[in-house]
Every structure is written in C-alpha cells, then in structure tokens.
Amino acid sequence: MVRHPLIDDVVGPAIVVDSSAPVVWLTDSLDSLLRRAEAAGRTVVLRTGQEAALTPALRHALGAHGAAWAVRGSDGSLRDGRTGVAAASLEDFVTQGPELLGDPAPEHRDAVGSVRQISIDLTLRHHDERTVDIGSAIEALCETVGTCPTRWGTSEPLTSAWDRWVVTQYAVHESPGISTSYAIGDGFAATMTAHLTGGVVVETMSAVLTVPEGGSDPQLASRLLDAVHRVASDVEPVFGVVMQRRGDADHLVRAVGYGEPEPLAVIVGPEATRFLDRRGEWPPVRTTTDTFPGEVGEGLVVRFEDGWTALESFLDRIDEDRFLQLVGGAPLDAAHDDGALGPHAMQHGGQGSQGAA
C-alpha cells in the first residue's frame, strides 16, 4: 500500500501509528488508514502512552478493522491497552492479536472512580414495507435512562446535531455496502451499522448508557422491556444482549481494568425464536422470560439471575448457522468488547477484553 502520512514505522507486518495525544480520536485520516490497511491484509498498531484515552468511536474502529492498541510503559515495555497483557514486541499484535489473551501485566491497574453503566447490543431487521428509520431504536433505549443522542458523525470530532433523517440518508447512500456511524449524548455513546441483505436493511446498534449508582434500579428492567415494545412496533429485533458494567463517566476508553461485566438479559426477536432449542427445561434454569409482540409472532426478553453461566447456557440453545442466515452476515461483533452479540459471543462465550467502552 502507498505510504500513508500517519504511518510512523513499519515493523514486520505491523503498521505503527504513534500518538502522544491525551485523547485519540477517529479522524478521517486514521479511519482511511485503518480501512486501507485491512484491505491490504496489514495490521495497524496504535501506540500510545499509559495515560492516553481512546474515544468509543476509535475503540470500535480498531476492533472492526482488526487493529491493535499498544501501550508503551515508562520503561519501554509494551502491553495491550485493552486486555493489559504484556507484549514482547509489536509483532505479537500480528501473530497473537490484535487483542492479546492472558493475565494482565501488573502495570494494568484497576480503574478508579468508575461509574455504573448498561450496554445494549442489538441487531434489527427493518420491515421492507415501511420507511427505513436508522436510530429510532437508539432513541427508544436511551429514553429508559432519561438521555438522548445530541451529536453524530462518521468520523471525529462528532459535530453534526443528531437527526435521525440525516443518519438514515447516510445509510441509504452507502447501501448496499455497510455504513457505520457514531452518536454521543449526556452519559451515552453508541455505534450504528446498517447494510442491505436480501432486500432487507439489517441494523446493528451498540450503546453504552450511564445509570445511577446505589444498587440495582428496580424499574430499569421494566423500562427496557417497554423500550423493546416500542422498537418492535417499527422494526423487528433479531437478537440482543444487555450487560451491566463499569466504565468512566466520560465514556473514554483507558488502559485500565474495569472488572468483569455482568450479562443481564438477552432479546430474541420473533423470527429468531424459531431457532431456539426449547427441549428439556424451558426457560433455562435461573432465567425468567417476558414476551413482546412482533410482525411475525412473539419475541422474548430473557432475564438472567447468574450472569455468564446463564448467558452461555442460553447461547447453547441457539442455532447459530440459521441465525447468521437471518441477518445476512451482518457485522455482528459488538462495538464494545464486553458485548456478547452474534458470532463473537457464540464462539467465545461473549467474554471480550476488559477496559473497553
């Protein structure tokens, strides 16, 4: 590939981009490099200092394009900014990564002053007889915690005022290819993708919402269910995962550990319920179910009482191949590592690296 102005070094198969910025954004230039490197089969390694933070949009883009985040210690050592695992060299992110697996290095400290958050990863199919409206699902879900998107864009800074119609027109313009856009608001950050398959628009959204501290919110589950009802009146949910997690209040991604996220529920749309194995005990042990109406039957919201064990058990009940056919190979990996949507979850139990937004 032609030398890109952001490339600072090439170490074997790794394309190195150094940044000394306290906050690293997904600029147009960096976005173009990530896309070109992926197309050329090369791995971009973003190398920063220990105190640097990434925006949620950049964190998503690194994952979407198979890029790595290397953090350089004061002694010159390297570690994965997302998992905290030590790296012997930049080549490790190509041969083992781009996210290194293992125990975090001692330098990968725990987060201080984190806040309680809810992440929602959801795939939707838009009804072909209705007007496509990208972003309506995000608005409905954000209302559950009293916030809403304020700005959006396809690269940073996100300077455009939130407007569902404009967001939708961008997706239409990119069709049938995959469109990716980002939105932020007070206590809120999200990624949206859309693509056309079999004449149907498939939308994936991944949102992180800051919620009040002080224990569980007894009304949150019912509000989320109400939001799913509103979403299902306009588009058809296919599959989604709701998690409780810790993160920084500004939603930036730092090279620290936030602890294990906790799966709270899954959303299974009416079409996807056909692919559930309901033999034996149903619903699965330590779960409760609610239904919501859809165009082709009833969908399910399944709530978990014991987190990962219940989620992994539930994922075993899904016919993965038929599910993937339903969404036409949509980009299902969650924008946020600790999401558990799609094949990433089904293959790996949903447990992504910690320290993601």
Side-chain angles (χ1 to χ4, degrees):
M1 59 184 287
V2 177
R3 186 84 174 195
H4 191 283
L6 283 184
I7 296 176
D8 291 296
D9 198 1
V10 177
V11 181
I15 296 174
V16 184
V17 176
D18 284 316
S19 177
S20 59
V23 177
V24 190
W25 291 358
L26 179 64
T27 61
D28 282 329
S29 183
L30 183 50
D31 182 58
S32 73
L33 175 60
L34 292 172
R35 294 176 186 276
R36 288 174 55 187
E38 182 184 28
R42 306 296 295 274
T43 299
V44 172
V45 179
L46 173 65
R47 185 167 56 190
T48 72
Q50 300 181 89
E51 303 304 319
L54 312 187
T55 64
L58 178 54
R59 176 64 187 86
H60 165 80
L62 293 181
H65 299 293
W69 177 21
V71 172
R72 180 170 47 204
S74 56
D75 59 355
S77 62
L78 292 173
R79 71 177 190 273
D80 189 323
R82 295 173 285 202
T83 67
V85 176
S89 66
L90 288 171
E91 286 93 331
D92 283 356
F93 293 99
V94 179
T95 59
Q96 303 177 35
E99 291 192 14
L100 305 183
L101 301 179
D103 295 327
E107 296 79 16
H108 195 72
R109 66 187 188 279
D110 291 336
V112 176
S114 63
V115 298
R116 181 170 171 251
Q117 296 175 334
I118 296 291
S119 67
I120 304 167
D121 297 293
L122 183 62
T123 297
L124 310 137
R125 283 166 58 91
H126 287 257
H127 302 304
D128 54 6
E129 72 277 9
R130 299 183 186 175
T131 302
V132 173
D133 190 2
I134 304 296
S136 59
I138 281 182
E139 288 186 353
L141 292 168
C142 286
E143 287 174 6
T144 63
V145 293
T147 189
C148 63
T150 56
R151 301 192 306 279
W152 83 283
T154 59
S155 63
E156 294 178 304
L158 304 180
T159 56
S160 299
W162 172 257
D163 186 320
R164 283 199 339 243
W165 186 86
V166 178
V167 174
T168 300
Q169 294 309 301
Y170 164 69
V172 170
H173 181 268
E174 295 295 306
S175 178
I178 298 172
S179 67
T180 303
S181 54
Y182 308 96
I184 55 174
D186 184 18
F188 159 82
T191 298
M192 299 164 288
T193 72
H195 82 298
L196 187 66
T197 178
V200 176
V201 174
V202 175
E203 177 187 355
T204 65
M205 54 148 285
S206 184
V208 177
L209 313 170
T210 297
V211 296
E213 294 282 2
S216 61
D217 180 349
Q219 300 302 317
L220 180 60
S222 62
R223 292 201 304 272
L224 285 172
L225 182 58
D226 289 342
V228 171
H229 278 261
R230 294 198 301 274
V231 169
S233 66
D234 296 318
V235 293
E236 198 75 66
V238 178
F239 190 77
V241 177
V242 182
M243 295 254 190
Q244 178 174 274
R245 43 151 297 152
R246 308 293 300 184
D248 286 335
D250 58 11
H251 285 245
L252 294 177
V253 185
R254 294 177 171 83
V256 296
Y258 294 98
E260 190 76 15
E262 178 188 0
L264 298 180
V266 294
I267 300 163
V268 185
E271 292 179 283
T273 57
R274 297 175 292 160
F275 309 146
L276 291 178
D277 179 359
R278 305 197 195 200
R279 291 174 295 181
E281 186 169 5
W282 184 266
V285 177
R286 301 186 65 79
T287 66
T288 57
T289 61
D290 295 293
T291 62
F292 61 89
E295 291 286 303
V296 295
E298 286 190 330
L300 292 174
V301 175
V302 183
R303 302 177 189 175
F304 302 135
E305 297 178 18
D306 56 359
W308 284 109
T309 299
L311 173 60
E312 292 172 4
S313 175
F314 188 83
L315 290 175
D316 288 339
R317 301 289 193 106
I318 294 177
D319 185 326
E320 177 183 345
D321 291 337
R322 295 177 70 189
F323 170 78
L324 291 177
Q325 289 175 6
L326 180 64
V327 294
L332 293 174
D333 279 349
H336 307 285
D337 274 2
D338 49 9
L341 181 60
H344 176 81
M346 296 178 185
Q347 293 167 6
H348 306 293
Q351 298 188 57
S353 62
Q354 305 316 302

PDB file of all heavy atoms in Angstrom, residues 78-80 83-87 100-108:
ATOM      1  N   LEU A  78       5.810  -2.979  26.537  1.00  0.00           N
ATOM      2  CA  LEU A  78       4.562  -2.855  25.796  1.00  0.00           C
ATOM      3  C   LEU A  78       3.500  -3.761  26.401  1.00  0.00           C
ATOM      4  O   LEU A  78       3.804  -4.850  26.891  1.00  0.00           O
ATOM      5  CB  LEU A  78       4.761  -3.247  24.323  1.00  0.00           C
ATOM      6  CG  LEU A  78       5.611  -2.342  23.450  1.00  0.00           C
ATOM      7  CD1 LEU A  78       5.815  -3.002  22.086  1.00  0.00           C
ATOM      8  CD2 LEU A  78       4.966  -0.974  23.283  1.00  0.00           C
ATOM      9  N   ARG A  79       2.254  -3.303  26.360  1.00  0.00           N
ATOM     10  CA  ARG A  79       1.135  -4.154  26.749  1.00  0.00           C
ATOM     11  C   ARG A  79      -0.078  -3.773  25.916  1.00  0.00           C
ATOM     12  O   ARG A  79      -0.140  -2.683  25.335  1.00  0.00           O
ATOM     13  CB  ARG A  79       0.817  -4.032  28.240  1.00  0.00           C
ATOM     14  CG  ARG A  79       0.196  -2.712  28.680  1.00  0.00           C
ATOM     15  CD  ARG A  79      -0.123  -2.751  30.167  1.00  0.00           C
ATOM     16  NE  ARG A  79      -0.910  -1.629  30.624  1.00  0.00           N
ATOM     17  CZ  ARG A  79      -0.429  -0.459  31.020  1.00  0.00           C
ATOM     18  NH1 ARG A  79       0.890  -0.275  30.994  1.00  0.00           N
ATOM     19  NH2 ARG A  79      -1.226   0.513  31.413  1.00  0.00           N
ATOM     20  N   ASP A  80      -1.020  -4.688  25.847  1.00  0.00           N
ATOM     21  CA  ASP A  80      -2.269  -4.445  25.128  1.00  0.00           C
ATOM     22  C   ASP A  80      -3.103  -3.455  25.938  1.00  0.00           C
ATOM     23  O   ASP A  80      -3.407  -3.703  27.103  1.00  0.00           O
ATOM     24  CB  ASP A  80      -3.022  -5.769  24.969  1.00  0.00           C
ATOM     25  CG  ASP A  80      -4.217  -5.661  24.048  1.00  0.00           C
ATOM     26  OD1 ASP A  80      -4.899  -4.622  24.069  1.00  0.00           O
ATOM     27  OD2 ASP A  80      -4.498  -6.631  23.323  1.00  0.00           O
ATOM     28  N   THR A  83      -6.581  -5.384  26.948  1.00  0.00           N
ATOM     29  CA  THR A  83      -6.577  -6.524  27.866  1.00  0.00           C
ATOM     30  C   THR A  83      -5.519  -6.408  28.955  1.00  0.00           C
ATOM     31  O   THR A  83      -5.586  -7.112  29.952  1.00  0.00           O
ATOM     32  CB  THR A  83      -6.332  -7.835  27.110  1.00  0.00           C
ATOM     33  OG1 THR A  83      -5.002  -7.838  26.576  1.00  0.00           O
ATOM     34  CG2 THR A  83      -7.346  -8.004  25.971  1.00  0.00           C
ATOM     35  N   GLY A  84      -4.515  -5.533  28.756  1.00  0.00           N
ATOM     36  CA  GLY A  84      -3.456  -5.383  29.740  1.00  0.00           C
ATOM     37  C   GLY A  84      -2.368  -6.430  29.654  1.00  0.00           C
ATOM     38  O   GLY A  84      -1.415  -6.411  30.433  1.00  0.00           O
ATOM     39  N   VAL A  85      -2.456  -7.369  28.700  1.00  0.00           N
ATOM     40  CA  VAL A  85      -1.478  -8.448  28.579  1.00  0.00           C
ATOM     41  C   VAL A  85      -0.173  -7.905  28.009  1.00  0.00           C
ATOM     42  O   VAL A  85      -0.180  -7.136  27.037  1.00  0.00           O
ATOM     43  CB  VAL A  85      -2.032  -9.575  27.688  1.00  0.00           C
ATOM     44  CG1 VAL A  85      -0.990 -10.672  27.478  1.00  0.00           C
ATOM     45  CG2 VAL A  85      -3.302 -10.154  28.303  1.00  0.00           C
ATOM     46  N   ALA A  86       0.955  -8.306  28.610  1.00  0.00           N
ATOM     47  CA  ALA A  86       2.266  -7.826  28.168  1.00  0.00           C
ATOM     48  C   ALA A  86       2.598  -8.373  26.784  1.00  0.00           C
ATOM     49  O   ALA A  86       2.249  -9.505  26.440  1.00  0.00           O
ATOM     50  CB  ALA A  86       3.331  -8.239  29.166  1.00  0.00           C
ATOM     51  N   ALA A  87       3.287  -7.551  25.995  1.00  0.00           N
ATOM     52  CA  ALA A  87       3.732  -7.950  24.658  1.00  0.00           C
ATOM     53  C   ALA A  87       5.246  -7.901  24.616  1.00  0.00           C
ATOM     54  O   ALA A  87       5.861  -6.953  25.130  1.00  0.00           O
ATOM     55  CB  ALA A  87       3.142  -7.029  23.598  1.00  0.00           C
ATOM     56  N   LEU A 100      -4.429  -9.325  22.778  1.00  0.00           N
ATOM     57  CA  LEU A 100      -3.650 -10.381  23.405  1.00  0.00           C
ATOM     58  C   LEU A 100      -4.433 -10.996  24.552  1.00  0.00           C
ATOM     59  O   LEU A 100      -5.096 -10.296  25.319  1.00  0.00           O
ATOM     60  CB  LEU A 100      -2.325  -9.813  23.917  1.00  0.00           C
ATOM     61  CG  LEU A 100      -1.461  -9.082  22.879  1.00  0.00           C
ATOM     62  CD1 LEU A 100      -0.142  -8.647  23.513  1.00  0.00           C
ATOM     63  CD2 LEU A 100      -1.198  -9.964  21.656  1.00  0.00           C
ATOM     64  N   LEU A 101      -4.353 -12.313  24.667  1.00  0.00           N
ATOM     65  CA  LEU A 101      -5.077 -13.033  25.705  1.00  0.00           C
ATOM     66  C   LEU A 101      -4.120 -13.503  26.779  1.00  0.00           C
ATOM     67  O   LEU A 101      -2.980 -13.872  26.502  1.00  0.00           O
ATOM     68  CB  LEU A 101      -5.815 -14.232  25.098  1.00  0.00           C
ATOM     69  CG  LEU A 101      -6.833 -13.912  23.997  1.00  0.00           C
ATOM     70  CD1 LEU A 101      -7.459 -15.197  23.474  1.00  0.00           C
ATOM     71  CD2 LEU A 101      -7.897 -12.958  24.504  1.00  0.00           C
ATOM     72  N   GLY A 102      -4.576 -13.496  28.029  1.00  0.00           N
ATOM     73  CA  GLY A 102      -3.755 -13.922  29.150  1.00  0.00           C
ATOM     74  C   GLY A 102      -4.001 -13.050  30.359  1.00  0.00           C
ATOM     75  O   GLY A 102      -4.977 -12.290  30.423  1.00  0.00           O
ATOM     76  N   ASP A 103      -3.110 -13.155  31.329  1.00  0.00           N
ATOM     77  CA  ASP A 103      -3.244 -12.362  32.554  1.00  0.00           C
ATOM     78  C   ASP A 103      -2.688 -10.959  32.331  1.00  0.00           C
ATOM     79  O   ASP A 103      -1.631 -10.794  31.718  1.00  0.00           O
ATOM     80  CB  ASP A 103      -2.478 -13.027  33.698  1.00  0.00           C
ATOM     81  CG  ASP A 103      -3.077 -14.380  34.073  1.00  0.00           C
ATOM     82  OD1 ASP A 103      -4.311 -14.517  33.960  1.00  0.00           O
ATOM     83  OD2 ASP A 103      -2.301 -15.277  34.465  1.00  0.00           O
ATOM     84  N   PRO A 104      -3.384  -9.935  32.836  1.00  0.00           N
ATOM     85  CA  PRO A 104      -2.890  -8.559  32.682  1.00  0.00           C
ATOM     86  C   PRO A 104      -1.551  -8.364  33.389  1.00  0.00           C
ATOM     87  O   PRO A 104      -1.271  -8.989  34.415  1.00  0.00           O
ATOM     88  CB  PRO A 104      -3.986  -7.714  33.347  1.00  0.00           C
ATOM     89  CG  PRO A 104      -5.198  -8.592  33.359  1.00  0.00           C
ATOM     90  CD  PRO A 104      -4.682  -9.998  33.509  1.00  0.00           C
ATOM     91  N   ALA A 105      -0.742  -7.505  32.821  1.00  0.00           N
ATOM     92  CA  ALA A 105       0.524  -7.143  33.449  1.00  0.00           C
ATOM     93  C   ALA A 105       0.249  -6.330  34.716  1.00  0.00           C
ATOM     94  O   ALA A 105      -0.809  -5.698  34.848  1.00  0.00           O
ATOM     95  CB  ALA A 105       1.378  -6.333  32.475  1.00  0.00           C
ATOM     96  N   PRO A 106       1.180  -6.316  35.679  1.00  0.00           N
ATOM     97  CA  PRO A 106       0.980  -5.537  36.908  1.00  0.00           C
ATOM     98  C   PRO A 106       0.714  -4.053  36.648  1.00  0.00           C
ATOM     99  O   PRO A 106       0.025  -3.389  37.422  1.00  0.00           O
ATOM    100  CB  PRO A 106       2.298  -5.738  37.664  1.00  0.00           C
ATOM    101  CG  PRO A 106       2.853  -7.022  37.130  1.00  0.00           C
ATOM    102  CD  PRO A 106       2.440  -7.071  35.693  1.00  0.00           C
ATOM    103  N   GLU A 107       1.239  -3.538  35.533  1.00  0.00           N
ATOM    104  CA  GLU A 107       1.053  -2.119  35.217  1.00  0.00           C
ATOM    105  C   GLU A 107      -0.381  -1.800  34.788  1.00  0.00           C
ATOM    106  O   GLU A 107      -0.782  -0.633  34.753  1.00  0.00           O
ATOM    107  CB  GLU A 107       2.007  -1.707  34.088  1.00  0.00           C
ATOM    108  CG  GLU A 107       3.482  -1.808  34.443  1.00  0.00           C
ATOM    109  CD  GLU A 107       4.002  -3.244  34.356  1.00  0.00           C
ATOM    110  OE1 GLU A 107       3.295  -4.081  33.738  1.00  0.00           O
ATOM    111  OE2 GLU A 107       5.077  -3.527  34.906  1.00  0.00           O
ATOM    112  N   HIS A 108      -1.142  -2.819  34.454  1.00  0.00           N
ATOM    113  CA  HIS A 108      -2.530  -2.611  34.014  1.00  0.00           C
ATOM    114  C   HIS A 108      -3.402  -2.502  35.257  1.00  0.00           C
ATOM    115  O   HIS A 108      -4.045  -3.453  35.694  1.00  0.00           O
ATOM    116  CB  HIS A 108      -2.979  -3.784  33.136  1.00  0.00           C
ATOM    117  CG  HIS A 108      -4.234  -3.510  32.363  1.00  0.00           C
ATOM    118  ND1 HIS A 108      -4.273  -2.639  31.287  1.00  0.00           N
ATOM    119  CD2 HIS A 108      -5.495  -3.999  32.489  1.00  0.00           C
ATOM    120  CE1 HIS A 108      -5.494  -2.616  30.782  1.00  0.00           C
ATOM    121  NE2 HIS A 108      -6.253  -3.416  31.498  1.00  0.00           N
TER     122      HIS A 108
END
